[in-house]
Amino acid sequence: MLKGCTAWPKEAADKYRKAGYWQGITFGEMLKRRANEYKEHTAVVCGTRRWSYRELDEKADRLAAGFIGLGIQKDDRVVLQLPNIAEFTAVIFALFRIGALPVFALPSHRKSEIKYFAEFSNAAAYIIPDKYSGYDYRSLAEDVAAEVPSLKHIIVVGEPGGFLSFEELYQDKVALPEVNSGDVAFLQLSGGSTGLPKLIPRTHDEYIYSLHGSAEICGLNSTSIYMAALPAAHNFPLSSPGVLGTLYAGGTVVMSPGPSPDVTFKLIEQEKVTLTALVPPLALVWLEAAKTRKEDLSSLKVLQVGGANFTTEAAIKVNEVFDCTLQQVFGMAEGLVNYTRLDDPKELILYTQGRPISPDDEILIVDEDDVPVAPGETGHLLTRGPYTIRGYYMADEHNKKAFTEDGFYRTGDLVRMTNEGYIVVEGRAKDQINRGGEKVAAEELENHLLAHEAVHDAAVVSMPDAYLGERICAYIIPKNQTPTFQEIRLFLRNRGVADYKIPDRVEFVDSFPMTAVGKVSKKALREKIAAEIKGITV
């Protein structure tokens, strides 16, 4: 097991292997098997490019040789910040083949996040596009590389500037190092509630099982065509069933450059997409756009919605507007994923967030003292199972809080369970804001705000929003002179904070409400801003 990662208990590992969940194959072997089976069948569509399984497999081998030529070795970390392009798939399988670990960053991340990922993981390389959505990632790479000594290689898809050209990495095949199915395959980002995201180590064995289970539940096969509309580095569009689950099933992945109906509706019609995934705010945009657009969307069989709470009213409209099945998905990059099943009764699809992938996913719903609540009551969700991690990367102290002594992960979600064993999400217990599916840790943003010379103290909370579910409100106690809202936002951007984390509203106050034990009462602040939005004086 990689240093800094929590090993699976032998008893649990033996149990999952015996049950057939862990198949003993790596991602590199998985793609090789699919290439042998499906050969010229289309694996990835990106614009006018269409890669077959044979071509994707060959590109992965040749890229792996290029990475080895650079000196990238087994267990080296590589920060990967690519948008939804075909190269994303070639890179990850090449790294899987040599046992190097992608660290999945999002296109929206900026210097604050990327520098942290590179420093904390001691990354050897950083892979970026030249430009995407009007932003030049080469400038970002220059800034990060100047401050992170471990970054030996900056690799650019597109015009490289002063860096390494991605295209020149393709080399003749070479012997590859041995990679085991129990090895860590990559590091994902948590939606944590404390500071910058924690890194989540996922192994080949357990993650491939989640792909197998997801593909089976979603009815995927070689005729399935999945469109990645959300950023592919997110766990949801990566594996639920996502890009990797579709390739596991021998289907076709269509890479969409963005989630807008202007782009995606044309792709659905053109490529005969059968399945795609959205977060609730995007689902609402699609529902509205479908009323006036003329594209033929009849190929779409399943529309997944997850990442944040999806209202029942919106869920009902999916069936009214799209002639397809709604599938609610509730999961986390740490492991547990729940799905409504395609043949479930309408009531379960509309009113719940599904049930777990595996019969060996263990669910506990407990009160503040870890005592199980009565059936049907709301409590804190704890989970343990064949694809849920046992600890974050290099986070011993945090792991003591995030996991129970017997290995249950404290998800931070407040849920209740129906008589059918389906989960209904009621909210979050952790100090985290879910802004349209993007998770923002209040503490991280507070630390940035406290660096402003005019800020004495800061408390960041969620505020309700009909479109995004939650937006960000920052309560600030100023020093002598009160800064403006615009000055605060510009300050955060200049610190390299991703745009989705920048507060939507700032309230300047003289003091914060306190709890009985002398802590800032975030609950009171949330209630205060919610009341103000409704026009109620508190």
Side-chain angles (χ1 to χ4, degrees), residues 136 162 176 186 227 230 251 269 273 311 326 340 365 400 432 434 446 450 464 474 481 492 498 501 512 538:
D136 193 327
L176 302 177
F186 55 86
M227 180 176 67
L230 301 171
E269 180 179 54
V273 170
T311 65
L326 168 68
T340 55
I365 302 176
K400 292 175 185 176
Q432 181 194 73
N434 190 334
E446 288 162 358
L450 290 170
Q481 188 171 350
L492 293 171
K501 297 180 180 180
F512 296 143
V538 294

PDB file of all heavy atoms in Angstrom, residues 136 162 176 186 227 230 251 269 273 311 326 340 365 400 432 434 446 450 464 474 481 492 498 501 512 538:
ATOM      1  N   ASP A 136      -5.849  30.801 -19.873  1.00  0.00           N
ATOM      2  CA  ASP A 136      -4.555  30.262 -20.283  1.00  0.00           C
ATOM      3  C   ASP A 136      -3.921  29.514 -19.111  1.00  0.00           C
ATOM      4  O   ASP A 136      -3.455  30.132 -18.148  1.00  0.00           O
ATOM      5  CB  ASP A 136      -3.636  31.385 -20.757  1.00  0.00           C
ATOM      6  CG  ASP A 136      -2.401  30.856 -21.487  1.00  0.00           C
ATOM      7  OD1 ASP A 136      -1.926  29.765 -21.122  1.00  0.00           O
ATOM      8  OD2 ASP A 136      -1.918  31.538 -22.408  1.00  0.00           O
ATOM      9  N   GLY A 162       6.550  27.356 -23.446  1.00  0.00           N
ATOM     10  CA  GLY A 162       7.876  26.933 -23.018  1.00  0.00           C
ATOM     11  C   GLY A 162       7.902  25.574 -22.346  1.00  0.00           C
ATOM     12  O   GLY A 162       8.931  25.176 -21.778  1.00  0.00           O
ATOM     13  N   LEU A 176       6.655  -2.440 -19.298  1.00  0.00           N
ATOM     14  CA  LEU A 176       5.994  -1.650 -18.259  1.00  0.00           C
ATOM     15  C   LEU A 176       6.214  -2.274 -16.885  1.00  0.00           C
ATOM     16  O   LEU A 176       6.350  -3.495 -16.767  1.00  0.00           O
ATOM     17  CB  LEU A 176       4.494  -1.547 -18.552  1.00  0.00           C
ATOM     18  CG  LEU A 176       4.108  -0.923 -19.903  1.00  0.00           C
ATOM     19  CD1 LEU A 176       2.604  -0.967 -20.087  1.00  0.00           C
ATOM     20  CD2 LEU A 176       4.622   0.512 -20.000  1.00  0.00           C
ATOM     21  N   PHE A 186      -5.253   6.056  -8.140  1.00  0.00           N
ATOM     22  CA  PHE A 186      -5.287   7.513  -8.309  1.00  0.00           C
ATOM     23  C   PHE A 186      -5.744   8.168  -7.018  1.00  0.00           C
ATOM     24  O   PHE A 186      -6.179   7.496  -6.068  1.00  0.00           O
ATOM     25  CB  PHE A 186      -6.213   7.909  -9.468  1.00  0.00           C
ATOM     26  CG  PHE A 186      -7.611   7.377  -9.364  1.00  0.00           C
ATOM     27  CD1 PHE A 186      -8.581   8.053  -8.649  1.00  0.00           C
ATOM     28  CD2 PHE A 186      -7.971   6.203  -9.998  1.00  0.00           C
ATOM     29  CE1 PHE A 186      -9.873   7.568  -8.544  1.00  0.00           C
ATOM     30  CE2 PHE A 186      -9.264   5.702  -9.906  1.00  0.00           C
ATOM     31  CZ  PHE A 186     -10.221   6.388  -9.182  1.00  0.00           C
ATOM     32  N   MET A 227     -22.683  10.351 -22.575  1.00  0.00           N
ATOM     33  CA  MET A 227     -22.127  11.685 -22.808  1.00  0.00           C
ATOM     34  C   MET A 227     -21.635  12.280 -21.497  1.00  0.00           C
ATOM     35  O   MET A 227     -22.411  12.417 -20.544  1.00  0.00           O
ATOM     36  CB  MET A 227     -23.165  12.615 -23.434  1.00  0.00           C
ATOM     37  CG  MET A 227     -22.620  14.031 -23.709  1.00  0.00           C
ATOM     38  SD  MET A 227     -23.821  15.090 -24.551  1.00  0.00           S
ATOM     39  CE  MET A 227     -25.069  15.257 -23.263  1.00  0.00           C
ATOM     40  N   LEU A 230     -20.717  16.845 -17.502  1.00  0.00           N
ATOM     41  CA  LEU A 230     -20.024  17.414 -16.345  1.00  0.00           C
ATOM     42  C   LEU A 230     -18.525  17.156 -16.491  1.00  0.00           C
ATOM     43  O   LEU A 230     -18.113  16.253 -17.223  1.00  0.00           O
ATOM     44  CB  LEU A 230     -20.542  16.765 -15.058  1.00  0.00           C
ATOM     45  CG  LEU A 230     -22.029  16.912 -14.767  1.00  0.00           C
ATOM     46  CD1 LEU A 230     -22.423  16.038 -13.581  1.00  0.00           C
ATOM     47  CD2 LEU A 230     -22.384  18.371 -14.502  1.00  0.00           C
ATOM     48  N   GLY A 251     -18.998   0.282 -23.991  1.00  0.00           N
ATOM     49  CA  GLY A 251     -19.806   1.292 -24.668  1.00  0.00           C
ATOM     50  C   GLY A 251     -18.962   2.413 -25.247  1.00  0.00           C
ATOM     51  O   GLY A 251     -17.736   2.337 -25.303  1.00  0.00           O
ATOM     52  N   GLU A 269     -28.374  14.400 -30.297  1.00  0.00           N
ATOM     53  CA  GLU A 269     -28.987  14.090 -31.590  1.00  0.00           C
ATOM     54  C   GLU A 269     -27.977  13.446 -32.535  1.00  0.00           C
ATOM     55  O   GLU A 269     -28.262  12.415 -33.168  1.00  0.00           O
ATOM     56  CB  GLU A 269     -29.554  15.362 -32.218  1.00  0.00           C
ATOM     57  CG  GLU A 269     -30.213  15.137 -33.569  1.00  0.00           C
ATOM     58  CD  GLU A 269     -30.786  16.419 -34.145  1.00  0.00           C
ATOM     59  OE1 GLU A 269     -30.031  17.411 -34.259  1.00  0.00           O
ATOM     60  OE2 GLU A 269     -31.988  16.435 -34.476  1.00  0.00           O
ATOM     61  N   VAL A 273     -26.932   9.657 -28.146  1.00  0.00           N
ATOM     62  CA  VAL A 273     -26.576   9.431 -26.736  1.00  0.00           C
ATOM     63  C   VAL A 273     -27.730   8.742 -26.013  1.00  0.00           C
ATOM     64  O   VAL A 273     -28.892   9.132 -26.165  1.00  0.00           O
ATOM     65  CB  VAL A 273     -26.230  10.774 -26.057  1.00  0.00           C
ATOM     66  CG1 VAL A 273     -26.094  10.614 -24.543  1.00  0.00           C
ATOM     67  CG2 VAL A 273     -24.951  11.358 -26.659  1.00  0.00           C
ATOM     68  N   THR A 311     -35.148  18.569  -6.182  1.00  0.00           N
ATOM     69  CA  THR A 311     -36.493  18.695  -5.634  1.00  0.00           C
ATOM     70  C   THR A 311     -37.466  17.758  -6.346  1.00  0.00           C
ATOM     71  O   THR A 311     -37.310  17.456  -7.534  1.00  0.00           O
ATOM     72  CB  THR A 311     -37.023  20.134  -5.762  1.00  0.00           C
ATOM     73  OG1 THR A 311     -37.170  20.456  -7.158  1.00  0.00           O
ATOM     74  CG2 THR A 311     -36.069  21.127  -5.110  1.00  0.00           C
ATOM     75  N   LEU A 326     -35.735   8.908 -15.330  1.00  0.00           N
ATOM     76  CA  LEU A 326     -34.908   9.649 -14.378  1.00  0.00           C
ATOM     77  C   LEU A 326     -34.250   8.645 -13.435  1.00  0.00           C
ATOM     78  O   LEU A 326     -34.898   7.715 -12.947  1.00  0.00           O
ATOM     79  CB  LEU A 326     -35.763  10.630 -13.575  1.00  0.00           C
ATOM     80  CG  LEU A 326     -35.092  11.266 -12.347  1.00  0.00           C
ATOM     81  CD1 LEU A 326     -33.966  12.204 -12.767  1.00  0.00           C
ATOM     82  CD2 LEU A 326     -36.124  12.009 -11.489  1.00  0.00           C
ATOM     83  N   THR A 340     -31.340   5.049  -7.643  1.00  0.00           N
ATOM     84  CA  THR A 340     -32.670   4.493  -7.875  1.00  0.00           C
ATOM     85  C   THR A 340     -32.515   3.542  -9.063  1.00  0.00           C
ATOM     86  O   THR A 340     -31.707   3.786  -9.960  1.00  0.00           O
ATOM     87  CB  THR A 340     -33.710   5.576  -8.198  1.00  0.00           C
ATOM     88  OG1 THR A 340     -33.257   6.365  -9.314  1.00  0.00           O
ATOM     89  CG2 THR A 340     -33.942   6.484  -6.992  1.00  0.00           C
ATOM     90  N   ILE A 365     -27.280   4.687  10.512  1.00  0.00           N
ATOM     91  CA  ILE A 365     -27.827   6.034  10.675  1.00  0.00           C
ATOM     92  C   ILE A 365     -27.937   6.273  12.171  1.00  0.00           C
ATOM     93  O   ILE A 365     -28.690   5.585  12.868  1.00  0.00           O
ATOM     94  CB  ILE A 365     -29.191   6.184   9.980  1.00  0.00           C
ATOM     95  CG1 ILE A 365     -29.052   5.859   8.479  1.00  0.00           C
ATOM     96  CG2 ILE A 365     -29.735   7.596  10.158  1.00  0.00           C
ATOM     97  CD1 ILE A 365     -30.360   5.883   7.712  1.00  0.00           C
ATOM     98  N   LYS A 400      -8.881  10.008  12.291  1.00  0.00           N
ATOM     99  CA  LYS A 400      -9.406   9.609  13.601  1.00  0.00           C
ATOM    100  C   LYS A 400     -10.819  10.163  13.814  1.00  0.00           C
ATOM    101  O   LYS A 400     -11.633   9.562  14.533  1.00  0.00           O
ATOM    102  CB  LYS A 400      -8.488  10.094  14.711  1.00  0.00           C
ATOM    103  CG  LYS A 400      -7.126   9.396  14.732  1.00  0.00           C
ATOM    104  CD  LYS A 400      -6.214  10.015  15.773  1.00  0.00           C
ATOM    105  CE  LYS A 400      -4.815   9.395  15.711  1.00  0.00           C
ATOM    106  NZ  LYS A 400      -3.875  10.054  16.666  1.00  0.00           N
ATOM    107  N   GLN A 432     -20.047  22.590   5.342  1.00  0.00           N
ATOM    108  CA  GLN A 432     -19.736  22.549   3.915  1.00  0.00           C
ATOM    109  C   GLN A 432     -20.918  23.107   3.137  1.00  0.00           C
ATOM    110  O   GLN A 432     -22.069  22.924   3.517  1.00  0.00           O
ATOM    111  CB  GLN A 432     -19.460  21.100   3.504  1.00  0.00           C
ATOM    112  CG  GLN A 432     -19.095  20.894   2.053  1.00  0.00           C
ATOM    113  CD  GLN A 432     -19.182  19.439   1.682  1.00  0.00           C
ATOM    114  OE1 GLN A 432     -20.277  18.877   1.553  1.00  0.00           O
ATOM    115  NE2 GLN A 432     -18.054  18.777   1.536  1.00  0.00           N
ATOM    116  N   ASN A 434     -22.875  23.200  -0.534  1.00  0.00           N
ATOM    117  CA  ASN A 434     -23.044  22.487  -1.796  1.00  0.00           C
ATOM    118  C   ASN A 434     -23.643  23.458  -2.800  1.00  0.00           C
ATOM    119  O   ASN A 434     -24.848  23.620  -2.891  1.00  0.00           O
ATOM    120  CB  ASN A 434     -23.942  21.269  -1.605  1.00  0.00           C
ATOM    121  CG  ASN A 434     -23.945  20.361  -2.818  1.00  0.00           C
ATOM    122  OD1 ASN A 434     -23.702  20.797  -3.929  1.00  0.00           O
ATOM    123  ND2 ASN A 434     -24.232  19.087  -2.606  1.00  0.00           N
ATOM    124  N   GLU A 446     -12.795  30.866   4.784  1.00  0.00           N
ATOM    125  CA  GLU A 446     -12.556  31.743   5.940  1.00  0.00           C
ATOM    126  C   GLU A 446     -11.074  32.061   6.092  1.00  0.00           C
ATOM    127  O   GLU A 446     -10.694  33.210   6.391  1.00  0.00           O
ATOM    128  CB  GLU A 446     -13.103  31.090   7.211  1.00  0.00           C
ATOM    129  CG  GLU A 446     -14.615  31.080   7.278  1.00  0.00           C
ATOM    130  CD  GLU A 446     -15.172  30.080   8.277  1.00  0.00           C
ATOM    131  OE1 GLU A 446     -14.377  29.344   8.909  1.00  0.00           O
ATOM    132  OE2 GLU A 446     -16.412  30.018   8.430  1.00  0.00           O
ATOM    133  N   LEU A 450      -9.489  35.838   6.093  1.00  0.00           N
ATOM    134  CA  LEU A 450      -8.726  36.354   7.237  1.00  0.00           C
ATOM    135  C   LEU A 450      -7.375  36.921   6.834  1.00  0.00           C
ATOM    136  O   LEU A 450      -6.740  37.646   7.608  1.00  0.00           O
ATOM    137  CB  LEU A 450      -8.542  35.252   8.284  1.00  0.00           C
ATOM    138  CG  LEU A 450      -9.820  34.839   9.029  1.00  0.00           C
ATOM    139  CD1 LEU A 450      -9.588  33.593   9.858  1.00  0.00           C
ATOM    140  CD2 LEU A 450     -10.318  35.982   9.920  1.00  0.00           C
ATOM    141  N   PRO A 464     -29.939  29.655   1.246  1.00  0.00           N
ATOM    142  CA  PRO A 464     -30.775  28.914   0.303  1.00  0.00           C
ATOM    143  C   PRO A 464     -30.883  29.618  -1.041  1.00  0.00           C
ATOM    144  O   PRO A 464     -30.874  30.852  -1.123  1.00  0.00           O
ATOM    145  CB  PRO A 464     -32.133  28.852   1.018  1.00  0.00           C
ATOM    146  CG  PRO A 464     -32.123  29.987   1.986  1.00  0.00           C
ATOM    147  CD  PRO A 464     -30.688  30.156   2.402  1.00  0.00           C
ATOM    148  N   ALA A 474     -20.707  35.202   3.162  1.00  0.00           N
ATOM    149  CA  ALA A 474     -19.599  35.426   4.094  1.00  0.00           C
ATOM    150  C   ALA A 474     -19.970  36.545   5.063  1.00  0.00           C
ATOM    151  O   ALA A 474     -20.256  37.668   4.641  1.00  0.00           O
ATOM    152  CB  ALA A 474     -18.338  35.802   3.335  1.00  0.00           C
ATOM    153  N   GLN A 481     -11.564  49.950   8.824  1.00  0.00           N
ATOM    154  CA  GLN A 481     -12.251  50.397   7.616  1.00  0.00           C
ATOM    155  C   GLN A 481     -12.929  49.210   6.943  1.00  0.00           C
ATOM    156  O   GLN A 481     -12.306  48.170   6.738  1.00  0.00           O
ATOM    157  CB  GLN A 481     -11.263  51.055   6.641  1.00  0.00           C
ATOM    158  CG  GLN A 481     -11.944  51.719   5.459  1.00  0.00           C
ATOM    159  CD  GLN A 481     -10.950  52.536   4.636  1.00  0.00           C
ATOM    160  OE1 GLN A 481      -9.812  52.747   5.057  1.00  0.00           O
ATOM    161  NE2 GLN A 481     -11.369  53.003   3.475  1.00  0.00           N
ATOM    162  N   LEU A 492      -9.999  37.732  -3.335  1.00  0.00           N
ATOM    163  CA  LEU A 492     -10.015  36.272  -3.393  1.00  0.00           C
ATOM    164  C   LEU A 492      -9.554  35.769  -4.758  1.00  0.00           C
ATOM    165  O   LEU A 492      -8.801  34.795  -4.856  1.00  0.00           O
ATOM    166  CB  LEU A 492     -11.405  35.738  -3.068  1.00  0.00           C
ATOM    167  CG  LEU A 492     -11.865  35.971  -1.619  1.00  0.00           C
ATOM    168  CD1 LEU A 492     -13.333  35.603  -1.467  1.00  0.00           C
ATOM    169  CD2 LEU A 492     -11.017  35.167  -0.641  1.00  0.00           C
ATOM    170  N   ALA A 498     -10.702  29.509  -6.789  1.00  0.00           N
ATOM    171  CA  ALA A 498     -11.603  29.163  -7.893  1.00  0.00           C
ATOM    172  C   ALA A 498     -12.880  29.996  -7.808  1.00  0.00           C
ATOM    173  O   ALA A 498     -13.398  30.265  -6.713  1.00  0.00           O
ATOM    174  CB  ALA A 498     -11.943  27.674  -7.853  1.00  0.00           C
ATOM    175  N   LYS A 501     -15.954  29.242  -5.592  1.00  0.00           N
ATOM    176  CA  LYS A 501     -15.823  29.361  -4.141  1.00  0.00           C
ATOM    177  C   LYS A 501     -15.980  30.798  -3.644  1.00  0.00           C
ATOM    178  O   LYS A 501     -16.035  31.033  -2.434  1.00  0.00           O
ATOM    179  CB  LYS A 501     -14.449  28.837  -3.702  1.00  0.00           C
ATOM    180  CG  LYS A 501     -14.207  27.371  -3.976  1.00  0.00           C
ATOM    181  CD  LYS A 501     -12.813  26.965  -3.512  1.00  0.00           C
ATOM    182  CE  LYS A 501     -12.553  25.495  -3.791  1.00  0.00           C
ATOM    183  NZ  LYS A 501     -11.197  25.093  -3.351  1.00  0.00           N
ATOM    184  N   PHE A 512     -20.470  38.061  15.991  1.00  0.00           N
ATOM    185  CA  PHE A 512     -21.140  36.837  15.577  1.00  0.00           C
ATOM    186  C   PHE A 512     -21.969  36.275  16.735  1.00  0.00           C
ATOM    187  O   PHE A 512     -21.563  36.395  17.901  1.00  0.00           O
ATOM    188  CB  PHE A 512     -20.126  35.763  15.167  1.00  0.00           C
ATOM    189  CG  PHE A 512     -19.290  36.108  13.970  1.00  0.00           C
ATOM    190  CD1 PHE A 512     -17.952  35.731  13.915  1.00  0.00           C
ATOM    191  CD2 PHE A 512     -19.819  36.804  12.891  1.00  0.00           C
ATOM    192  CE1 PHE A 512     -17.162  36.036  12.820  1.00  0.00           C
ATOM    193  CE2 PHE A 512     -19.040  37.117  11.786  1.00  0.00           C
ATOM    194  CZ  PHE A 512     -17.716  36.740  11.748  1.00  0.00           C
ATOM    195  N   VAL A 538     -35.143  39.450  11.720  1.00  0.00           N
ATOM    196  CA  VAL A 538     -34.818  38.582  12.863  1.00  0.00           C
ATOM    197  C   VAL A 538     -34.012  39.355  13.880  1.00  0.00           C
ATOM    198  O   VAL A 538     -33.465  40.401  13.607  1.00  0.00           O
ATOM    199  CB  VAL A 538     -34.001  37.337  12.402  1.00  0.00           C
ATOM    200  CG1 VAL A 538     -34.858  36.473  11.531  1.00  0.00           C
ATOM    201  CG2 VAL A 538     -32.732  37.735  11.677  1.00  0.00           C
TER     202      VAL A 538
END
